[in-house]
Every structure is written in structure tokens, then in C-alpha cells.
Amino acid sequence: MKEKFEFITNAKSAEFCEGIVNRMISLFGITIDEAIGRMNRDWKGLNLSDPNDVIFHEDEEYWANTIYYGKGSNWWLNPIGLKPRPYNGSLN
């Protein structure tokens, strides 16, 4: 199991990111490793330690869906045939 994020967090952003991971697990039935891996793929190297960071402008559900389906998926419109972004366990 991956134990940490591959981006910079502080206590507040780490807690928020853990909430996103938990939301992905509950929404999509994926493992914690996959949820963290998907998040790391999208946010690797970012500094999310600013209390006004853009991640806080949306809720955990938004980020869980956006990370899982992708930015351009329009997941909130519930399109027919919506599929998650491929994930093979590595950063890609």
C-alpha cells in the first residue's frame, strides 16, 4: 500500500486529499492504492500546502470524479457510456 502522496501537503490539504481518496473508494469500489495512485498521477510534484489552494474551491466529490473520469469527461452531466480514465498501477 502506498503510504504517502507524491505532492506536497500540509495537515489541512492532506486531510482533504484523504477525504478524496475515501470518496473514490466509496464511489467506484477501487482500492486505496488505486485511489492514491490516480491522485498522484494527476497531482505529482504540486505544492498543495497553501490554505487558499485551488483544490479547496471544489469539494471531495468533485475531485474524486474528476480524478477518476478526467477533466474533459463532463461527468456531472452523466453522459451515456462514461468510462473511467485507464489506470494500470503506474504513473502515466
Side-chain angles (χ1 to χ4, degrees):
M1 177 172 88
K2 293 183 182 182
E3 294 186 22
K4 64 180 181 176
F5 300 118
E6 296 176 6
F7 46 88
I8 298 168
T9 61
N10 60 16
K12 180 181 177 185
S13 60
E15 181 179 348
F16 188 67
C17 289
E18 289 169 10
I20 295 167
V21 165
N22 290 331
R23 194 70 186 129
M24 279 193 278
I25 292 166
S26 69
L27 284 171
F28 311 119
I30 61 177
T31 66
I32 189 170
D33 285 345
E34 181 176 344
I36 291 171
R38 286 176 175 273
M39 184 177 282
N40 282 334
R41 175 180 62 188
D42 286 5
W43 293 353
K44 184 176 183 170
L46 295 179
N47 184 343
L48 304 179
S49 62
D50 184 333
N52 297 312
D53 196 278
V54 69
I55 65 165
F56 299 117
H57 295 189
E58 299 291 350
D59 63 14
E60 293 168 355
E61 180 130 350
Y62 170 86
W63 287 117
N65 280 283
T66 299
I67 290 167
Y68 191 71
Y69 291 114
K71 280 185 185 180
S73 67
N74 296 326
W75 58 263
W76 57 91
L77 298 174
N78 296 315
I80 295 172
L82 180 64
K83 293 183 180 169
R85 289 170 54 203
Y87 180 76
N88 64 10
S90 63
L91 296 176
N92 47 12

